[in-house]
């Protein structure tokens, strides 16, 4: 590493400080793309081997790869991009990470300090642009502040509710020489000290409420996964101790096993009938690490109308933001569940909820995920089921793009463990899955990593196939190819009189040739009978694969709560004729 002329090993350039800080925070991989305003940092990266740099093909790819890396490891994802367009290309992944609480540390280059505000080449107000889509950001104008800010950035990104941060470093600060110091407590001078331990009185109130429940439900979210493996273990123990039914958000899948007897499936807009009806009919709801997102609640004034609500969350701003709750508990999930379980075991008696389970069983019997089988066409649901069966028992990580395929993956792929499911929940970013799979594969070299993709979404970041080939990352891109922007088409069909305005993706590439052009492997399957063999071939190949699975073009994703409707106004597949669906969307009678 090129230190300055001084013999003091802590005297170094700003660029050297950035690389040293990464090492001090245990960073092993960074995702980035060079440019003029970060060349001093790239020069430092060249002269060391502790931190491996993964060269993406677009800065958005770097951001999503860092998200996949972070989500699958629990460690922060680190990104390095240049000023101006490099930074603006990172805005989408930053917004995505903020919505889904993913820890990202993004270092951006900036024009020299004396040029800031002059509309210099490749200048933009990075701090201004990223303020709404980061947890915090900094513009470092003085080398004396750089080490402290870098340490603070890692602290803010990873503590409390995780999220993305940006450190914007002008080029002259990268060249300047100053004194570096390793991370220390007084670096974190920010007033950000998240409460991790729950209030004992609130925990007692919650336990009393749970013990008195007749129709309880546990509603868990991505915060359980973020809290760590211990939180997921405690969640499973809580379900065992109480015997309560449990459902989860899209982001929370895997915290409780899909094979567990108390599992209701995912809830929300495309959740199961039993999950949504249980939420609607419950009398006590325990929300753990979820934020009452609109895709979960449906119409807020009709959400769980008879329920007392307990909300455990580390983010105080999530409490009472969308839904008023009766017992808020601010704290880390693992810490709060430890205390809650201790109090429950010592002071509470498990309530008798046999009649409630009997009711849940009748909802389950509706089999809301049923679909019509077809011997000539591959149904998308069937494709996911076969993929799940073929990968069961392996250490498999699933990423997705956004759309119908994402919802089918959530419905039909069973997750037994946390951190195996990477998807864009809050922002709904098409193009997320392929680069996210890269990040996961970088972190887990020997694991099977599959991006369940849509033909439209996957083209948004397709250039990252080159990254996969360069770094020998054998990701599998399993494309449910229905020739449409499927979810857009579904809404147009159901809500806009079947006027399919610009949702048919004409001029579709030949994905097999495209894979080969990148140096990967292309496969195509069109018949259900060929699917199992083709999936096994895909898994065996030790190269990046584009798997073009041609599925029924006009299949819709059900169940579905129409936007603005309540949980008990779900559309189920067998009943969802165009006329009935149109009536439901227009405010007519519900189809349940």
């Amino acid at each position: 590493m090129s230190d300055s002329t001084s013999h003091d090993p802590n005297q170094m350039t700003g660029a050297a400080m950035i690389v040293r800080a990464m090492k001090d925070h245990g960073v092993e991989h960074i995702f980035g793309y060079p440019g003029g305003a970060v060349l001093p940092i790239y020069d430092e990266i060249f002269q060391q081997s502790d931190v491996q740099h993964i060269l993406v093909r677009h800065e958005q790819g770097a951001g999503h790869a860092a998200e996949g890396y972070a989500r699958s490891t629990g460690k922060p994802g680190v990104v390095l991009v240049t000023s101006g367009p490099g930074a603006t290309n990172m805005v989408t992944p930053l917004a995505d990470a903020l919505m889904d609480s993913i820890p990202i540390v993004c270092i951006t280059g900036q024009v020299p300090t004396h040029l800031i505000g002059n509309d210099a080449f490749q200048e933009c107000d990075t701090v201004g642009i990223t303020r709404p889509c980061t947890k915090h950001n900094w513009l470092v104008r003085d080398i004396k502040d750089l080490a402290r800010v870098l340490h603070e950035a890692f602290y803010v990104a990873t503590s409390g509710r995780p999220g993305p941060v940006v450190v914007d470093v002008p080029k002259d600060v990268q060249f300047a020489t100053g004194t570096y110091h390793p991370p220390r407590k007084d670096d974190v001078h920010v007033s950000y000290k998240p409460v991790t331990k729950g209030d004992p009185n609130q925990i007692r109130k919650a336990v009393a409420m749970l013990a008195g429940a007749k129709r309880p439900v546990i509603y868990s979210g991505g915060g359980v996964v973020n809290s760590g493996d211990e939180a997921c273990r405690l969640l499973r123990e809580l379900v065992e101790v109480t015997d309560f039914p449990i459902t989860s958000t899209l982001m929370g899948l895997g915290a409780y096993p899909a094979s567990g007897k108390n599992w209701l499936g995912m809830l929300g807009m495309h959740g199961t009938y039993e999950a949504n009806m249980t939420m609607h009919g419950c009398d006590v709801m325990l929300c753990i690490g979820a934020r009452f997102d609109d895709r979960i609640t449906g119409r807020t004034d009709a959400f769980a109308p008879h329920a007392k609500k307990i909300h455990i969350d580390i983010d105080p701003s999530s409490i009472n933001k969308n839904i008023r709750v009766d017992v808020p508990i601010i704290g880390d999930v693992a810490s709060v569940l430890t205390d809650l379980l201790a109090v429950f075991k010592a002071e509470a008696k498990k309530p008798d909820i046999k009649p409630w389970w009997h009711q849940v069983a009748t909802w389950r019997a509706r089999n809301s995920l049923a679909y019509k089988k077809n011997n000539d066409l591959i149904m998308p649901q069937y494709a996911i089921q076969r993929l799940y069966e073929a990968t069961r028992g392996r250490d498999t990580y699933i990423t997705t793009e956004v759309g119908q395929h994402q919802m089918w993956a959530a419905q039909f792929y069973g997750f037994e463990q946390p951190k195996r499911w990477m998807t864009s929940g809050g922002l709904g970013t098409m193009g997320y899955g392929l680069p996210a799979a890269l990040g996961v594969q970088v972190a887990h070299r020997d694991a099977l990593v599959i991006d369940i993709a849509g033909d439209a979404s996957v083209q948004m970041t397709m250039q990252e196939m080159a990254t996969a080939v360069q770094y020998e990352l054998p990701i599998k891109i399993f494309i449910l190819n229905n020739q449409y922007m499927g979810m857009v088409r579904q809404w147009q069909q159901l809500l806009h009189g079947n006027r399919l305005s610009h949702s048919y993706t004409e001029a579709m590439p030949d994905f097999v040739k495209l894979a080969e052009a990148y140096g990967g492997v292309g496969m195509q399957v069109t018949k259900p009978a060929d699917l199992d063999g083709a999936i096994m071939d895909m898994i065996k190949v030790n190269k990046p694969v584009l798997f073009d699975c041609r599925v029924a073009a006009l299949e819709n994703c059900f169940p579905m709560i129409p936007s603005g409707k309540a949980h008990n106004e779900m559309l189920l597949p067998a009943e969802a004729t165009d006329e009935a669906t149109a009536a439901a969307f227009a405010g007519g009678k519900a189809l349940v």
Side-chain angles (χ1 to χ4, degrees):
M1 184 175 286
S2 58
D3 289 352
S4 75
T5 51
S6 162
H7 293 299
D8 180 352
N10 291 320
Q11 284 291 302
M12 62 184 80
T13 64
M17 285 184 191
I18 288 166
V19 176
R20 175 75 71 84
M22 288 180 195
K23 293 179 187 176
D24 283 350
H25 287 277
V27 175
E28 295 171 48
H29 300 94
I30 63 169
F31 302 89
Y33 201 89
V38 284
L39 289 184
I41 305 169
Y42 271 89
D43 195 39
E44 288 296 332
I45 288 170
F46 186 84
Q47 297 176 62
Q48 57 82 54
S49 56
D50 295 332
V51 180
Q52 188 193 0
H53 179 276
I54 307 293
L55 175 67
V56 295
R57 298 306 186 263
H58 187 286
E59 291 87 356
Q60 183 184 350
H64 294 322
E67 285 190 275
Y69 187 92
R71 186 79 181 164
S72 66
T73 61
K75 298 190 286 194
V78 183
V79 179
L80 175 60
V81 297
T82 195
S83 63
T88 58
N89 281 344
M90 263 300 294
V91 166
T92 297
L94 289 170
D96 193 272
L98 186 70
M99 293 281 271
D100 288 346
S101 308
I102 311 296
I104 301 290
V105 176
C106 174
I107 312 287
T108 56
Q110 184 53 276
V111 300
T113 47
H114 68 276
L115 288 178
I116 291 174
N118 285 8
D119 293 338
F121 177 66
Q122 288 195 331
E123 182 193 358
C124 73
D125 177 7
T126 300
V127 164
I129 288 168
T130 63
R131 188 171 283 123
C133 60
T134 51
K135 195 172 166 186
H136 198 59
N137 60 18
W138 299 259
L139 169 61
V140 184
R141 290 174 172 270
D142 190 328
I143 186 71
K144 292 194 191 85
D145 299 325
L146 183 58
R148 174 186 55 75
V149 167
L150 289 165
H151 302 324
E152 208 171 274
F154 277 93
Y155 167 77
V156 171
T158 55
S159 56
R161 178 180 176 178
V165 298
V166 165
V167 181
D168 198 28
V169 190
K171 196 167 183 180
D172 56 323
V173 175
Q174 295 170 39
F175 277 125
T177 299
T179 306
Y180 176 81
H181 61 265
R184 57 193 185 198
K185 278 213 167 112
D186 60 0
D187 289 327
V188 186
H189 76 108
V190 286
S191 58
Y192 179 62
K193 290 197 172 56
V195 173
T196 55
K197 196 155 172 57
D199 181 304
N201 293 329
Q202 293 294 89
I203 288 170
R204 283 212 146 68
K205 270 191 210 164
V207 167
M209 205 174 268
L210 294 169
K214 297 269 191 292
R215 302 186 309 280
V217 68
I218 296 171
Y219 149 43
S220 68
V224 181
V225 179
N226 283 342
S227 181
D229 292 348
E230 178 63 3
C232 298
R233 188 193 69 72
L234 289 162
L235 177 71
R236 293 165 187 225
E237 189 184 337
L238 180 69
V239 174
E240 210 173 286
V241 166
T242 59
D243 198 33
F244 289 177
I246 177 169
T247 179
S248 134
T249 65
L250 181 74
M251 299 303 293
L253 296 176
Y256 181 82
S259 61
K261 70 180 179 65
N262 294 42
W263 179 238
L264 301 174
M266 181 178 74
L267 83 152
M269 182 171 273
H270 292 287
T272 65
Y273 183 63
E274 53 267 35
N276 284 329
M277 292 303 284
T278 301
M279 286 289 277
H280 186 77
C282 70
D283 67 347
V284 174
M285 175 192 300
L286 175 59
C287 171
I288 310 174
R291 58 188 177 86
F292 295 100
D293 170 72
D294 63 287
R295 297 278 132 152
I296 294 304
T297 62
R299 208 174 87 223
T300 50
D301 62 349
F303 174 69
H306 312 297
K308 291 261 193 292
K309 301 174 184 75
I310 304 159
H311 187 186
I312 301 170
D313 207 294
I314 198 157
D315 179 8
S317 73
S318 287
I319 304 284
N320 291 329
K321 183 168 74 176
N322 298 327
I323 298 287
R324 283 212 66 78
V325 297
D326 300 274
V327 182
I329 305 173
I330 295 165
D332 173 64
V333 168
S335 169
V336 174
L337 285 186
T338 299
D339 295 345
L340 189 139
L341 269 163
V343 175
F344 194 96
K345 286 174 183 172
E347 300 178 13
K349 203 168 130 235
K350 184 162 87 172
D352 176 14
I353 54 167
K354 283 194 199 75
W356 182 228
W357 270 117
H358 181 70
Q359 174 61 70
V360 171
T362 63
W363 289 327
R364 271 182 173 158
R366 290 291 289 270
N367 192 11
S368 62
L369 296 180
Y371 62 94
K372 287 188 178 120
K373 303 280 197 307
N374 191 313
N375 291 329
D376 301 316
L377 281 175
I378 299 173
M379 301 307 284
Q381 303 94 323
Y382 179 75
I384 304 287
Q385 284 180 312
R386 298 320 300 160
L387 181 69
Y388 173 56
E389 290 302 327
T391 55
R392 227 173 167 164
R394 287 171 173 268
D395 190 20
T396 308
Y397 293 77
I398 300 290
T399 71
T400 76
E401 308 294 335
V402 167
Q404 287 179 318
H405 62 274
Q406 175 192 29
M407 294 298 110
W408 282 317
Q411 290 173 341
F412 290 94
Y413 199 100
F415 294 94
E416 298 296 307
Q417 298 295 331
K419 295 183 188 151
R420 298 299 190 279
W421 165 248
M422 276 54 62
T423 194
S424 172
L427 197 65
T429 306
M430 292 173 73
Y432 168 92
L434 197 163
L438 289 180
V440 175
Q441 192 80 75
V442 165
H444 307 275
R445 281 280 176 173
D446 299 325
L448 176 61
V449 181
I450 302 173
D451 170 30
I452 296 175
D455 50 286
S457 281
V458 76
Q459 292 186 70
M460 290 210 168
T461 50
M462 180 57 78
Q463 68 278 355
E464 301 309 333
M465 276 296 283
T467 309
V469 170
Q470 179 180 341
Y471 293 95
E472 298 180 343
L473 301 167
I475 59 173
K476 318 295 185 220
I477 313 301
F478 189 79
I479 305 168
L480 296 186
N481 186 349
N482 59 10
Q483 315 273 302
Y484 282 95
M485 296 171 209
M487 196 60 92
V488 173
R489 180 206 51 74
Q490 176 168 337
W491 280 64
Q492 287 174 336
Q493 180 192 333
L494 301 181
L495 189 58
H496 298 282
N498 207 25
R499 291 180 292 280
L500 306 186
S501 179
H502 301 280
S503 54
Y504 176 57
T505 45
E506 293 179 74
M508 185 68 68
D510 179 330
F511 286 114
V512 174
K513 285 182 181 169
L514 189 57
E516 288 164 359
Y518 275 113
V521 173
M523 299 179 180
Q524 188 188 75
V525 64
T526 58
K527 294 273 180 279
D530 302 333
L531 188 57
D532 285 358
I535 288 172
M536 291 318 296
D537 290 344
M538 173 188 84
I539 291 168
K540 281 180 201 151
V541 174
N542 194 27
K543 272 186 158 188
V545 176
L546 284 182
F547 187 99
D548 183 6
C549 183
R550 295 296 180 103
V551 298
L554 299 175
E555 182 68 359
N556 283 333
C557 184
F558 290 110
M560 180 181 184
I561 302 175
S563 194
K565 299 294 179 183
H567 279 170
N568 63 338
E569 299 177 289
M570 293 187 78
L571 301 174
L572 295 183
E575 300 149 327
T577 61
D578 285 353
E579 299 77 26
T581 302
F585 270 100
K589 190 171 181 307
L591 301 184
V592 296

